[in-house]
């Protein structure tokens, strides 16, 4: 592709093209999904589940393997939702799994209609407290929430890490502070656990780097592409240096 065709590439275009073919758009794993599901009371074929900020729906389709209810995956990017719906059709799960375009800040569901809200790697985009408060009203009494959120794992908060997450629009809290926030938002705290490092490295950074390297060849010389690659390289390096201080944590709660 020549410079003329690539000069209008935006960061969002590149982000989408990098992530569209990946199984996950953020750190996570099937083992963590199974572990989190272990804390939920059994759901059934009538259960209504929403996966918010689902991306291309790797974990949405995994949930459909374990849960027999209906699942709606919601994301702001139509490309991701198209991919989820295409994969659901291929896996013959489209009778129970539907992707919809929408905003996590203005959910299109009826109040008290959901048995489970799932959300991996997305809630910090709108704020942990803001997300939990808004989503609470859509859950039935006794319904569950299971979300991952980047969190401080130590009291020490290296400035460089704090700056990185602030620049990305996310404010990290410690696990104990997030549990208190969850309780204040009207949930009974059920469990929390930190995602292992492999969820970041093997399952996310490595496939993402491969995708970026291909795009660096495809869009050779494009400045936005190079800037995007540099930002991602910095994020990976930061995590490898400071992973003892921060990580994604699964928080599971129940509406009381
Ligand atoms: N849950 C997927 C996973 O774990 O692989 C995707 C995680 S990715 C880090 C965050 C996702 O949240 C992206 O797909 C992004 O489009 C979506 N997102 C961010 N802000 C959103 C908003 N306000 N409303 C809907 N989706 C949003």
């Amino acid at each position: 592709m020549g410079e003329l065709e690539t000069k209008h590439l935006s960061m969002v275009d590149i982000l989408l093209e990098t992530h569209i073919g990946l199984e996950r758009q953020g750190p996570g794993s099937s083992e963590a999904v199974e572990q989190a599901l272990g804390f939920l009371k059994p759901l059934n074929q009538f259960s209504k589940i929403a996966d918010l900020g689902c991306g291309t729906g790797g974990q949405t389709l995994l949930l459909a393997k374990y849960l027999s209810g209906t699942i709606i995956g919601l994301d702001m990017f139509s490309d991701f939702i198209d991919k989820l719906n295409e994969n659901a059709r291929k896996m013959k799960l489209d009778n129970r799994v539907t992707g919809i375009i929408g905003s996590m800040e203005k959910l299109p569901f009826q109040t008290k209609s959901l048995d489970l809200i799932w959300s991996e790697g997305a809630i910090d985009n709108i704020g942990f407290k803001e997300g939990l408060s808004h989503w609470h009203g859509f859950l039935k009494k006794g319904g569950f929430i299971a979300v991952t959120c980047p969190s401080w794992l130590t009291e020490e908060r290296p400035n460089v890490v704090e700056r990185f997450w602030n620049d990305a629009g996310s404010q990290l809290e410690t696990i104990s502070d997030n549990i208190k926030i969850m309780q204040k938002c009207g949930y009974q705290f059920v469990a929390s656990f930190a995602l292992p490092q492999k969820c970041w490295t093997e399952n996310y950074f490595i496939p993402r780097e491969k995708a970026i390297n291909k795009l660096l060849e495809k869009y050779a010389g494009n400045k936005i592409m190079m800037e995007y690659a540099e930002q991602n390289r910095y994020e990976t390096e930061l995590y490898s240096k400071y992973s003892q201080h921060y990580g994604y944590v699964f928080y599971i709660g129940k509406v009381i």
Side-chain angles (χ1 to χ4, degrees):
M1 206 171 256
E3 177 65 17
L4 253 183
E5 286 162 274
T6 64
K7 71 178 179 186
H8 295 304
L9 264 188
S10 70
M11 280 286 179
V12 172
D13 293 333
I14 299 171
L15 179 138
L16 289 172
E17 198 170 345
T18 300
H19 287 89
I20 195 82
L22 303 186
E23 202 176 317
R24 300 193 145 268
Q25 286 73 48
S29 70
S30 51
E31 291 85 354
V33 168
E34 284 167 25
Q35 193 176 341
L37 283 172
F39 293 106
L40 311 185
K41 77 161 197 275
L43 297 161
N44 59 40
Q45 76 218 66
F46 304 110
S47 300
K48 293 201 171 0
I49 299 144
D51 180 11
L52 307 180
C54 63
T56 60
Q59 74 293 317
T60 324
L61 295 165
L62 195 59
L63 285 177
K65 185 178 144 195
Y66 291 108
L67 305 173
S68 57
T70 52
I71 309 179
I72 291 186
L74 176 144
D75 201 279
M76 62 196 272
F77 287 124
S78 59
D79 289 10
F80 287 170
I81 291 301
D82 288 348
K83 192 73 171 176
L84 165 58
N85 285 327
E86 183 190 319
N87 287 339
R89 271 194 300 278
K90 277 188 199 153
M91 293 168 74
K92 301 201 184 322
L93 285 168
D94 52 326
N95 57 335
R96 295 196 295 116
V97 177
T98 311
I100 60 168
I101 302 160
S103 165
M104 299 193 296
E105 290 167 286
K106 207 168 184 300
L107 295 184
F109 307 120
Q110 289 188 339
T111 54
K112 297 191 194 314
S113 62
L114 300 173
D115 296 279
L116 169 64
I117 288 182
W118 194 272
S119 182
E120 290 189 52
I123 195 169
D124 58 302
N125 287 293
I126 63 169
F128 188 70
K129 179 166 165 273
E130 291 73 9
L132 288 186
S133 307
H134 176 52
W135 302 350
H136 186 274
F138 297 94
L139 282 163
K140 295 175 187 168
K141 192 164 184 233
F144 284 91
I145 187 141
V147 301
T148 65
C149 188
S151 311
W152 291 114
L153 304 177
T154 56
E155 287 302 327
E156 192 190 337
R157 302 169 182 213
N159 283 339
V160 64
V161 178
E162 189 145 43
R163 209 175 315 125
F164 170 82
W165 283 97
N166 284 346
D167 289 349
S170 300
Q171 192 129 34
L172 271 55
E173 304 289 350
T174 59
I175 300 176
S176 57
D177 283 345
N178 275 336
I179 292 171
K180 283 184 203 137
I181 291 172
M182 186 172 231
Q183 290 165 331
K184 276 194 187 142
C185 291
Y187 301 87
Q188 179 189 334
F189 169 68
V190 175
S192 71
F193 61 92
L195 296 190
Q197 291 190 5
K198 168 183 163 227
C199 292
W200 293 72
T201 51
E202 274 175 52
N203 296 358
Y204 182 54
F205 286 153
I206 292 175
R208 183 178 72 177
E209 192 181 330
K210 276 191 194 148
I212 289 175
N213 286 340
K214 278 193 190 152
L215 293 183
L216 278 170
E217 275 180 32
K218 179 174 172 183
Y219 299 121
N222 184 286
K223 288 202 174 59
I224 309 276
M225 183 64 230
M226 287 192 281
E227 200 185 317
Y228 180 81
E230 176 53 27
Q231 283 174 8
N232 281 265
R233 193 198 55 73
Y234 179 74
E235 184 193 6
T236 307
E237 203 179 279
L238 196 71
Y239 183 73
S240 78
K241 270 193 197 156
Y242 295 101
S243 59
Q244 76 271 31
H245 296 293
Y246 70 103
Y248 271 92
V249 173
F250 238 118
Y251 297 92
I252 295 131
K254 186 177 177 182
V255 171
I256 40 176

